Amino acid sequence: MRIQQLIYLEKIAEKGSINEAAKELFLTQPSLSNAIKELESEMEIQLLLRTKNGVSLTPEGREFLVYSRQILDQVNLLEEKYKNKSPRKQAFSVSAQHYAFVVHAFVELVKSINSDEYQLTLRETETQNILDDLTNFKSEIGVLYLNSFNRQVLSKLFKEKGLIFTPLFDAKPHVFISRYNPLAKQKSIKLEDLEDYTYLSYEQGENNSFYFSEEILSTWDRKMEIKVSDRATIFNLMVGLNGYTISSGIISSELNDDKIVAIPLEYEDTIQFGWLKQEQRELSSTGNKYLDLLKEHIRGYGFHIYE
């Protein structure tokens, strides 16, 4: 195995095409293709799925690339120090439930990168997709919550998939509503206060298990309910329909409309937010930087961070 082969694989994964990668690497397509086939033969795995529309990494290829990038990062550090070579393009991916604090930290991460080249991905997605993204090495970090209702089921799934959950902070449930909603004048809200308002929640696709819900009290029967797929829509419906959802209480005024407020819910429960990673995977320097920014942002709201 040669370092150059790892560089070739990374470029192909980035371009999704051996032909396009060959152009940037100043190689012929056959020579690049042969270099990857030699690597596959030596490692005894299939790294690329080749189709008439291009190439993509196989699950084994995605896992291999994770470890390959760690090697290339170390090589680049040596070259930076002794050959004054410019830093490598930073690559990082996070998958999370729909939380403003996740997005805010991601924005700060992008601002902190001292380079005009990077490859970053933020996926606000369904709970099952978070687990799949981590298992398939599509994302380095996942962010979701546990509470007394879903902890046992999800913890079992984490163990089966080789994922480690690390707590970030605990929060009491809050109701997110429009500041023009009649309930916005109250210091706290009871469950019975919400009976005549439309409940808004995030859809969970085909795996519509109550345990995968992003909101607590997922089994509570509501008269009116709308499922959505993104935060912009859920906020628009809070304003347009006086709808509500239940979450952490953190609203980023820098990123979200100031028409939304969080009111404490009179319900005895604790929501524990945390991050996930593959058990055998070491976080990259970019991943660690993102976690630091995430913790810093959450502390700004007065929450105690687990260390």
Side-chain angles (χ1 to χ4, degrees), residues 134-150:
L134 292 167
T135 303
N136 296 326
F137 292 88
K138 287 184 177 179
S139 284
E140 188 172 340
I141 289 174
V143 182
L144 44 67
Y145 87 93
L146 297 179
N147 73 336
S148 57
F149 176 72
N150 69 5

Side-chain angles (χ1 to χ4, degrees), residues 63-80:
E63 183 176 3
F64 183 89
L65 188 59
V66 168
Y67 295 106
S68 171
R69 280 175 169 160
Q70 292 177 25
I71 294 171
L72 294 176
D73 285 341
Q74 294 303 311
V75 171
N76 186 244
L77 286 174
L78 288 172
E79 292 181 332
E80 279 185 67

Side-chain angles (χ1 to χ4, degrees), residues 50-272:
R50 299 161 174 86
T51 69
K52 61 181 181 180
N53 296 321
V55 295
S56 60
L57 292 169
T58 64
E60 294 85 358
R62 284 194 291 267
E63 183 176 3
F64 183 89
L65 188 59
V66 168
Y67 295 106
S68 171
R69 280 175 169 160
Q70 292 177 25
I71 294 171
L72 294 176
D73 285 341
Q74 294 303 311
V75 171
N76 186 244
L77 286 174
L78 288 172
E79 292 181 332
E80 279 185 67
K81 183 174 179 63
Y82 296 107
K83 295 175 63 176
N84 296 319
K85 188 173 180 180
S86 59
R88 272 167 43 77
K89 179 189 291 187
Q90 295 191 48
F92 172 70
S93 203
V94 56
S95 296
Q97 292 174 332
H98 300 75
Y99 304 129
F101 56 84
V102 169
V103 180
H104 189 283
F106 190 85
V107 170
E108 293 304 310
L109 176 68
V110 176
K111 291 179 179 178
S112 73
I113 295 177
N114 188 27
S115 172
D116 57 0
E117 291 190 19
Y118 50 78
Q119 185 178 341
L120 309 177
T121 305
L122 169 61
R123 298 184 181 93
E124 279 194 328
T125 187
E126 300 161 8
T127 303
Q128 180 64 58
N129 289 344
I130 297 173
L131 305 185
D132 291 342
D133 287 349
L134 292 167
T135 303
N136 296 326
F137 292 88
K138 287 184 177 179
S139 284
E140 188 172 340
I141 289 174
V143 182
L144 44 67
Y145 87 93
L146 297 179
N147 73 336
S148 57
F149 176 72
N150 69 5
R151 181 179 298 273
Q152 185 175 357
V153 171
L154 290 187
S155 294
K156 184 175 183 291
L157 278 174
F158 299 162
K159 186 175 182 181
E160 290 174 356
K161 293 178 178 290
L163 304 176
I164 296 176
F165 177 85
T166 302
L168 277 169
F169 70 104
D170 294 339
K172 292 298 182 181
H174 284 66
V175 180
F176 282 18
I177 53 176
S178 161
R179 66 171 59 254
Y180 308 114
N181 189 305
L183 298 178
K185 300 176 182 179
Q186 300 182 190
K187 292 184 178 180
S188 63
I189 294 175
K190 299 177 182 179
L191 287 174
E192 51 263 36
D193 296 333
L194 299 170
E195 290 181 356
D196 293 327
Y197 293 90
T198 301
Y199 174 61
L200 309 172
S201 63
Y202 290 107
E203 63 180 357
Q204 294 299 321
E206 295 179 2
N207 198 329
N208 200 24
S209 167
F210 290 126
Y211 298 107
F212 283 75
S213 172
E214 295 186 37
E215 303 81 19
I216 67 169
L217 298 169
S218 57
T219 59
W220 189 44
D221 187 33
R222 278 96 170 177
K223 292 189 297 184
M224 299 171 289
E225 181 174 357
I226 297 175
K227 291 188 178 295
V228 303
S229 60
D230 62 88
R231 281 190 303 117
T233 300
I234 210 169
F235 286 158
N236 287 339
L237 293 179
M238 286 178 199
V239 176
L241 297 176
N242 270 340
Y244 75 94
T245 193
I246 301 173
S247 191
S248 65
I250 297 180
I251 298 179
S252 176
S253 58
E254 297 178 38
L255 298 178
N256 295 313
D257 197 314
D258 60 5
K259 295 177 182 177
I260 305 303
V261 295
I263 310 294
L265 177 66
E266 293 184 25
Y267 182 77
E268 198 58 41
D269 195 5
T270 298
I271 309 170
Q272 184 174 79

Side-chain angles (χ1 to χ4, degrees), residues 8-17 24 57 65 69 89 117 119:
Y8 293 167
L9 178 65
E10 185 176 51
K11 181 59 69 175
I12 292 171
E14 176 187 335
K15 295 298 179 181
S17 164
E24 288 211 8
L57 292 169
L65 188 59
R69 280 175 169 160
K89 179 189 291 187
E117 291 190 19
Q119 185 178 341

